[in-house]
Amino acid sequence: MIRLLRGHSIASLVFVGSLLAGRAGHAQIGGQQAFSFLNLPNSAKLAGLGGANVSSRDGDATMLYANPALLNKEMDGTLALGYVDYLADIKQTTAAYVFNTEHAGRFGVGLTYLNYGSFEGFDAAGNSLGNFSVNEYAVGVSDAYTSGNFVLAGTLKLGVSGIAGNHSVAALADVGALFKHPTKDFNVGLTVKNVGYQLKTYAGAGHEPMPLDVQLGASIKPEHMPIRFSLTAYNLQQFDIVYLDPNQRGQLDENNNEVKPKKTIGDKIARHFVVGGEVILSKNFNLRVGYNHLHRRELRLDTRSAGAGMSFGVMLRISQFQLDYTRAYYHASGASNYLTVARNLNSLFKKT
């Protein structure tokens, strides 16, 4: 038997559990895979654009997590450090560094670590077994090659998940591609994420599938307009991802018969899409907004949405540092704060 150390951690565990896995049920992708934390947005920009984006190309090194084909020369020499403040004790930290080579392509190295806080364990008789931690992390190496207007890239990752000294290990890979228009600010991206195999299972558990996610998206900045629009479709490997709670009460018709909610083709399609916008006020100051319909539908309350699915962010460059901040609304219990700090190390160590 396991009990949380602090009462407010119950809400945080429910929140992150919902964000990672959703509610178990038919046609629901969540709750059926291991290492689902790999699909969480772990940078301020990605979260600010709705949590999924494979086509927004600039100098933000953390976008290698979204699509390795987004690696480009503007990122060369950049080190980015990220921090995510979920509810209560649940925190996530991220690091990314990009460098170019003469013959082997452009490389990105990334590390992400998610800690769920401290817990207290009990045996069947209620005797305390002491405190333990729950955490997950992944380290990856990306490599991208550019040929004309196309970029092809891949990432190899090692994921580790641990609970009270019991660990699971997986080897995974991402494959990405990007088309960038030769004259216009228009990109189309495609990525297949988290193809892999569980090398080591938890003690007493069998092998579990990896959190596969196929994403396709496009970004465009109309000429003479300071706005870049992005539309991204994700979870394309499974069409029906709608979950309807069988215990949810339906409305009564004119004969006082309960009418249960039904799946619609429009809702099935809409849950795959994320919309993002970037207001490019200058090279040193941008605003971002994102909307994720799946998060809106699954994480809202029955009585109110509390902003679920919405995210708002800002990018500010001060001297040689780039600061990104996003506040993402997932649930009525609270919003998550994302902070990313980046600096180009080449300019730091460049000889004068």
Side-chain angles (χ1 to χ4, degrees), residues 15-23 28-29 36 39-42 46-53 86 213 215 234-235 241 267 270-275 290-301 304-311 328-332 336 338:
F15 160 70
V16 174
S18 299
L19 188 60
L20 287 172
R23 295 173 290 268
Q28 180 70 22
I29 57 174
S36 294
N39 283 332
L40 286 176
N42 49 16
L46 186 56
L49 294 176
N53 188 293
Y86 290 116
D213 191 358
Q215 302 182 6
Y234 71 136
N235 292 324
I241 57 174
D267 191 30
R271 293 191 186 216
H272 287 276
F273 284 94
V274 175
V275 181
Y291 174 72
N292 188 310
H293 189 66
L294 178 64
H295 289 171
R296 180 100 173 168
R297 296 295 297 171
E298 292 205 335
L299 298 177
R300 68 188 301 274
L301 299 177
R304 62 191 181 100
S305 62
M310 298 297 300
S311 56
Y329 295 85
Y330 294 117
H331 193 266
S336 297
Y338 293 76

Side-chain angles (χ1 to χ4, degrees), residues 328-349:
Y329 295 85
Y330 294 117
H331 193 266
S333 57
S336 297
N337 299 295
Y338 293 76
L339 178 64
T340 302
V341 179
R343 196 197 196 285
N344 189 291
L345 300 185
N346 289 343
S347 62
L348 179 65
F349 297 108

